[in-house]
Amino acid sequence: MHDRQRQCRSSHPEHILTASLLTTLLAPLPAVASGTEPMPTIKVTSPRISQPWLHTPSSVGTVNIDEMLGDPQFALDEALVRIPGLHAQNRYNLNQGLRLSIRGFGARASFGVRGVRVLLDGVPLTMPDGQTDLDALDLGLLEQVEVLRGPTSALYGNGAGGVLSLSTRAQPEQRHGRVDVFGGELGERRWRLEAGTAGETVTSLASVARRTLDGHRDNMAADSTIGTGRLRAHFAGGELEVSLHTLDIDARDPGALNLNELRSDRGAAHPNAMRYVVGEQIEQQRLSASWSRPLGARSALHLRGWGGERDFGNRLPFEAGGQTRFQRRFGGVGAQLDQRFRTGSVAHTLSIGGDLEQQRDDRQRHDNLDGARGDLALDQREQARGIGLFVIDQLALGGPWMAALGLRHDHIRLDVADAFLSDGDDSGKRDFRETSFNLGLGYRIGAHELLYARYGSGFETPTNNELANPEGGGFNPAVDPAQAHNLELGVKLERDHLRAELAIYRVRNEDELSRFEREDQPGRSFYRNTGATQRDGAELSVAWRAHPELTLYGSYSLNDYRFRGEGPSDQDVDGNRLPGIPRQQLFVEAAWRPVPAWTARLQATALDRVEVDDDNTAEVPGYLVLNARLAWTGTWGGVEVQPYLALNNAFDIDYIDNLRVNGGFGRYYEPAAGRVMAGGLSIRY
């Protein structure tokens, strides 16, 4: 048995998320007061076909941003925490970006999102190699968040964890636009401008969002500017949407601390972060277009295309090859044809389509001479190309029965051309061919309840970055894709004032991908396959309008994720828990509107303990954090104004905001901010 290390103070026992809380959420609810406005019916689009949430035989969580008045919009996790099975980290470190995992997929990432497909207004944000960055997203434009959990490769391809689908506004909230200003502790300063038009056939929107942040640790300052333009128009008998997104960001990285450094000074940076001036600079432009047109009463055509360029440079906390630069060009096209028909008593909605994607990175590494650029250490061109073909059938089988079938084949090719030949030619390529399937069966118990079962397969290839060779240039030939099989059972309930879902699942994942570091390159991530894992879990979500003035929300996740079988030759991990994922997670919120103008919200988020490495040699204890929101909406001089206040971590609890799994030299911990007060003003005219 390994000795356990406790790295931060916590007055809460490990059973902070108790069975009694789950029992309370599932207990019979009292009658709703008369006159209470019903909750809006939700439609979801992430299964590729727009349909009511209750008619979808799979786990789909949704968040309407209108329900989140007063949120400070620090990061997307403010919305995602409401969805069970989902774990988000890294709210304040803009250098690393928000880290997101669904049912454990993505927890290994050192930055950004892995193992999860991300869509923005129906167009992929995820690159062909499976990597996603959320840094160019203007949170002020969000309207709805959908999360389709479980293996969904039969729908979207490379991403075994699920799908995150983000929908934004195509026109300003009022006729002309909006102005937002925001400020608070940690040197947080933001302003945002939005303007546009809303006509009968054409709507347009343009916005610019500027943010500066000092942060709660040394070497954490960030400065970002995000620009967005959207156009929606009726064109050639269909609806056309065009979007332009730009990003300019300069962000420092304080790095992770070991246990002694954490206890000594939670606000300190990794010592080498200061010496080597660790940080990154990014410029990105992305243009996308989608067009949908009905082809009659029973069919429709959907086309989409996107392309862009990303210029990236960073400095890492070591000398040899410690500075990276790459210029990325990326793009793709996709098509989907929907057809509705009947065979006897069975009604079909058949979708056939395909996706073609490509990216090219011209990458160089230089030595990092205390922040100055040194000699060239690597020069190579990396390319990723993917093509996927799919067929999906949504079936109404007659009576209370429904089904969903999906089949997809993907061919992904990653190759590298080495231009730094002084140490030999490390050129090479990797080809992955994967066929995935998805089967779902639903049974309507009554008008308001659905039972469903689902079985599916998925896969997750290593990204270009994760194929980095520890021995030098080129790709690591020893890393293979992970393969997942998922069995899921669930029940949904949707009434006028109550929406709830309970899902239980088991995922068997072969060739689990795991991050590690080398002593001679601390802070740089490499990856390997660590054998099989088994993930058993339960997820519960509830939204209840208990009274005309009070709405309650809750989500709970119970996770038992373990390694099964043999791992790498130097590790015996059989039976160990997967690191980076809390064993339990709970979110509850009470939103109170005593009068239409005022909204007050109180939130509690609790996480169980988390393992820090594959060997389970240390863990981060659980914690409970309370947040509060207060917003007022009114008019002044014919202009709508909305001042709001936000308090995060009200009791100033010490906890870990980002865990660097398998970090070298015991540097796992990135501490969270303490109590943070902030406020803003939104003007809509």
Side-chain angles (χ1 to χ4, degrees):
M1 296 291 293
H2 301 294
D3 292 333
R4 298 288 183 176
Q5 302 178 51
R6 300 289 182 171
Q7 53 71 41
C8 69
R9 64 176 173 85
S10 174
S11 60
H12 312 288
E14 67 179 55
H15 58 274
I16 193 170
L17 309 176
T18 64
S20 62
L21 290 172
L22 182 57
T23 303
T24 300
L25 288 173
L26 290 174
L29 300 175
V32 176
S34 61
T36 303
E37 182 181 351
M39 301 180 70
T41 299
I42 291 179
K43 281 202 169 186
V44 295
T45 60
S46 51
R48 284 198 182 267
I49 298 293
S50 178
Q51 56 189 327
W53 173 81
L54 192 61
H55 296 178
T56 308
S58 59
S59 300
V60 185
T62 65
V63 178
N64 291 319
I65 303 303
D66 288 343
E67 300 171 355
M68 300 172 56
L69 286 176
D71 265 6
Q73 296 182 346
F74 287 126
L76 186 60
D77 67 314
E78 294 168 338
L80 298 177
V81 71
R82 298 163 173 265
I83 298 175
L86 209 143
H87 180 47
Q89 302 182 75
N90 211 31
R91 172 175 291 179
Y92 295 106
N93 187 343
L94 273 64
N95 178 280
Q96 296 293 309
L98 187 70
R99 290 182 52 219
L100 168 67
S101 65
I102 298 178
R103 295 183 177 176
F105 292 95
R108 75 178 190 276
S110 57
F111 65 91
V113 180
R114 306 284 196 278
V116 176
R117 299 291 290 181
V118 182
L119 309 176
L120 180 61
D121 297 315
V123 178
L125 279 183
T126 303
M127 294 293 166
D129 67 349
Q131 175 184 338
T132 309
D133 293 289
L134 297 172
D135 44 23
L137 179 63
D138 183 353
L139 296 178
L141 292 175
L142 273 183
E143 285 189 321
Q144 181 169 298
V145 175
E146 292 180 34
V147 178
L148 179 60
R149 307 189 297 278
T152 54
S153 291
L155 300 176
Y156 290 102
N158 186 8
V163 173
L164 169 61
S165 179
L166 308 171
S167 300
T168 64
R169 292 194 307 278
Q171 65 186 55
E173 291 179 305
Q174 302 294 331
R175 179 173 179 79
H176 298 294
R178 170 175 163 177
V179 177
D180 296 321
V181 292
F182 181 90
E185 296 180 281
L186 311 183
E188 180 88 32
R189 298 291 183 270
R190 274 186 269 153
W191 58 261
R192 184 176 175 279
L193 303 176
E194 179 183 323
T197 60
E200 293 185 4
T201 59
V202 178
T203 64
S204 63
L205 176 149
S207 69
V208 59
R210 172 83 172 169
R211 181 182 186 184
T212 58
L213 176 69
D214 293 336
H216 58 282
R217 298 176 60 198
D218 297 335
N219 201 60
M220 201 176 188
D223 185 333
S224 74
T225 303
I226 299 172
T228 305
R230 295 205 65 198
L231 175 72
R232 177 182 291 168
H234 294 287
F235 175 75
E239 185 172 85
L240 174 69
E241 292 193 19
V242 179
S243 298
L244 174 66
H245 302 270
T246 66
L247 169 69
D248 190 338
I249 184 171
D250 188 337
R252 298 291 181 91
D253 182 12
L257 304 176
N258 62 33
L259 189 58
N260 291 332
E261 293 166 343
L262 181 71
R263 290 170 172 168
S264 176
D265 184 0
R266 298 178 65 87
H270 182 310
N272 282 346
M274 306 294 290
R275 173 185 172 184
Y276 291 103
V277 199
V278 174
E280 68 180 16
Q281 302 81 38
I282 303 171
E283 293 183 7
Q284 177 175 294
Q285 302 82 37
R286 180 177 181 271
L287 179 66
S288 64
S290 61
W291 180 68
S292 298
R293 177 185 176 178
L295 301 179
R298 295 180 174 273
S299 62
L301 178 65
H302 310 277
L303 303 176
R304 58 192 174 273
W306 64 98
E309 184 174 271
R310 185 177 180 93
D311 293 326
F312 174 92
N314 74 353
R315 297 175 298 276
L316 298 172
F318 53 87
E319 178 177 333
Q323 290 198 20
T324 303
R325 298 177 60 196
F326 69 74
Q327 184 178 63
R328 171 175 295 164
R329 293 181 174 87
F330 58 89
V333 294
Q336 178 176 325
L337 177 66
D338 301 333
Q339 180 70 47
R340 291 176 170 84
F341 62 95
R342 300 185 70 89
T343 56
S345 62
V346 178
H348 300 259
T349 301
L350 184 68
S351 300
I352 301 173
D355 304 290
L356 177 64
E357 306 173 347
Q358 183 166 343
Q359 76 181 71
R360 188 187 77 185
D361 295 353
D362 293 315
R363 185 183 302 269
Q364 294 180 330
R365 282 189 176 275
H366 292 259
D367 293 340
N368 186 356
L369 305 180
D370 295 343
R373 182 176 299 165
D375 293 338
L376 182 67
L378 180 144
D379 186 3
Q380 62 189 31
R381 173 171 293 178
E382 303 166 356
Q383 296 190 81
R385 293 180 290 274
I387 183 169
L389 302 174
F390 63 87
V391 57
I392 301 167
D393 196 3
Q394 309 278 352
L395 303 95
L397 301 176
W401 292 95
M402 64 187 69
L405 311 175
L407 185 68
R408 180 177 175 116
H409 180 75
D410 286 275
H411 179 198
I412 298 171
R413 179 173 180 173
L414 308 176
D415 62 62
V416 57
D418 189 4
F420 188 71
L421 302 178
S422 60
D423 59 352
D425 188 351
D426 293 312
S427 300
K429 65 180 180 179
R430 301 293 303 275
D431 273 280
F432 307 118
R433 291 178 171 85
E434 304 289 345
T435 299
S436 309
F437 67 91
N438 203 294
L439 310 173
L441 182 65
Y443 178 78
R444 293 286 297 273
I445 303 173
H448 305 287
E449 300 87 18
L450 173 70
L451 284 173
Y452 66 88
R454 184 175 174 218
Y455 182 65
S457 67
F459 72 95
E460 182 184 3
T461 69
T463 67
N464 276 342
N465 180 66
E466 292 169 347
L467 280 172
N469 194 340
E471 305 304 326
F475 285 154
N476 185 352
V479 182
D480 293 316
Q483 311 281 340
H485 286 81
N486 180 88
L487 176 63
E488 175 181 85
L489 303 173
V491 58
K492 294 183 178 183
L493 168 67
E494 187 173 41
R495 298 181 182 271
D496 286 346
H497 307 102
L498 176 66
R499 183 182 303 113
E501 180 181 23
L502 174 65
I504 58 175
Y505 63 89
R506 168 168 287 183
V507 180
R508 176 77 176 186
N509 200 39
E510 303 288 343
D511 289 326
E512 183 83 33
L513 288 159
S514 180
R515 174 184 180 272
F516 71 96
E517 294 183 13
R518 285 175 48 132
E519 292 186 2
D520 59 339
Q521 300 180 66
R524 187 181 178 193
S525 300
F526 298 101
Y527 293 83
R528 60 189 173 192
N529 298 107
T530 53
T533 61
Q534 181 173 300
R535 309 178 190 199
D536 296 324
E539 300 164 349
L540 173 70
S541 62
V542 177
W544 179 38
R545 188 156 290 166
H547 189 273
E549 300 171 359
L550 179 66
T551 305
L552 303 176
Y553 302 92
S555 69
Y556 172 78
S557 306
L558 175 64
N559 309 313
D560 185 13
Y561 299 165
R562 295 180 183 272
F563 290 99
R564 298 299 184 198
E566 297 182 358
S569 58
D570 61 341
Q571 283 186 297
D572 181 10
V573 297
D574 184 32
N576 288 1
R577 294 184 181 273
L578 265 68
I581 300 296
R583 304 176 192 185
Q584 301 180 82
Q585 184 170 331
L586 173 72
F587 169 82
V588 292
E589 178 185 275
W592 182 50
R593 299 192 71 178
V595 293
W598 287 94
T599 300
R601 296 160 50 222
L602 184 64
Q603 304 172 340
T605 301
L607 269 71
D608 205 344
R609 61 189 187 274
V610 183
E611 308 293 343
V612 304
D613 61 5
D614 295 343
D615 291 323
N616 290 185
T617 58
E619 65 181 25
V620 175
Y623 61 86
L624 171 67
V625 169
L626 296 179
N627 304 323
R629 311 283 188 255
L630 181 64
W632 179 83
T633 303
T635 58
W636 180 65
V639 175
E640 182 181 288
V641 296
Q642 185 186 96
Y644 59 94
L645 293 174
L647 176 64
N648 279 0
N649 194 3
F651 294 109
D652 199 24
I653 299 298
D654 290 345
Y655 67 99
I656 298 302
D657 178 51
N658 188 40
L659 180 64
R660 299 205 182 188
V661 172
N662 293 324
F665 303 97
R667 297 188 183 277
Y668 310 118
Y669 313 110
E670 293 193 48
R675 183 186 299 110
V676 176
M677 173 71 77
L681 174 65
S682 181
I683 301 172
R684 298 164 170 87
Y685 56 92

